[in-house]
Amino acid sequence: MILTTAFLGILVFQLLFFHLISFPLLALQSEKERAQLKLGAFLAKMDTPIVPCNVTGVNCGSCKNVTDDGGTIESPHFPEPYDSNLNCLYTINAPYEKKIKLSFTEFKVEKCCDFITVFDELANLIQSSLNGSDTPMAVTSPSNQMTIKFTSNVDNITRLDPPAGPATRWQATYTFM
């Protein structure tokens, strides 16, 4: 009986020791490891080089003067008139935790049929149906990515109303804030 009681006492002591002392230390250690893994993933994301500006579409414009602070996007053949039947996407990526401010420096987009639309990284509309010759106000993204969609119709007359107006073209600068 004394042997059984001693065995049970040792067993209870070991269980209590494990649950009260060892297990919390193991739990804290695994929590620390998880935090280190999260930090490592975060730092890897920070060190991953990003392409600050990318243009997709056939015969679309370009990104120019790209620096760590921003750059310029423009319609195809700028300062010459842009072509008909274009469907272009300009994707701008700012460094982590920065926003993007887009300011048009020249804006002559055929009023009836050509459009510029601005989206955030989740494809939420920021500004839509930009056209005409009035320069739009600057736009700021809520995140570190912005997409600008430019569409011209099939019958681009390369002139604004009235017909003697300036050639259709546009240019914008973007800065990281």
Side-chain angles (χ1 to χ4, degrees):
M1 176 92 172
I2 292 179
L3 239 39
T4 306
T5 306
F7 175 75
L8 288 175
I10 291 172
L11 185 62
V12 168
F13 174 76
Q14 287 177 342
L15 288 173
L16 286 174
F17 177 78
F18 176 75
H19 283 291
L20 295 176
I21 297 172
S22 298
F23 183 72
L25 291 175
L26 289 174
L28 288 175
Q29 183 179 7
S30 64
E31 185 66 34
K32 182 179 177 184
E33 289 171 356
R34 281 194 299 269
Q36 286 176 337
L37 286 174
K38 285 181 183 178
L39 179 62
F42 174 75
L43 291 175
K45 185 177 180 181
M46 294 285 293
D47 290 339
T48 302
I50 59 170
V51 177
C53 185
N54 183 37
V55 180
T56 31
V58 178
N59 297 323
C60 287
S62 61
C63 303
K64 293 189 174 179
N65 306 322
V66 178
T67 68
D68 291 340
D69 298 322
T72 303
I73 58 173
E74 53 193 30
S75 59
H77 315 298
F78 186 87
E80 299 299 317
Y82 55 76
D83 296 330
S84 299
N85 202 27
L86 293 172
N87 191 12
C88 305
L89 288 177
Y90 302 78
T91 304
I92 301 170
N93 295 294
Y96 184 73
E97 292 191 347
K98 295 252 182 175
K99 294 181 180 180
I100 303 163
K101 181 179 180 181
L102 182 72
S103 304
F104 287 93
T105 54
E106 182 155 348
F107 196 82
K108 309 282 189 259
V109 178
E110 189 179 15
K111 189 169 183 134
C112 74
C113 311
D114 301 345
F115 301 97
I116 293 177
T117 307
V118 183
F119 301 93
D120 70 7
E121 70 178 324
L122 300 174
N124 294 318
L125 189 63
I126 298 176
Q127 203 157 33
S128 69
S129 302
L130 301 174
N131 60 15
S133 59
D134 293 334
T135 304
M137 302 232 352
V139 180
T140 302
S141 69
S143 64
N144 70 326
Q145 188 178 61
M146 178 186 281
T147 300
I148 297 91
K149 181 180 181 183
F150 170 59
T151 306
S152 67
N153 69 334
V154 176
D155 187 27
N156 188 19
I157 57 173
T158 70
R159 297 280 177 200
L160 296 170
D161 297 327
T168 54
R169 62 181 178 234
W170 60 268
Q171 184 181 56
T173 59
Y174 60 90
T175 52
F176 304 138
M177 309 175 9

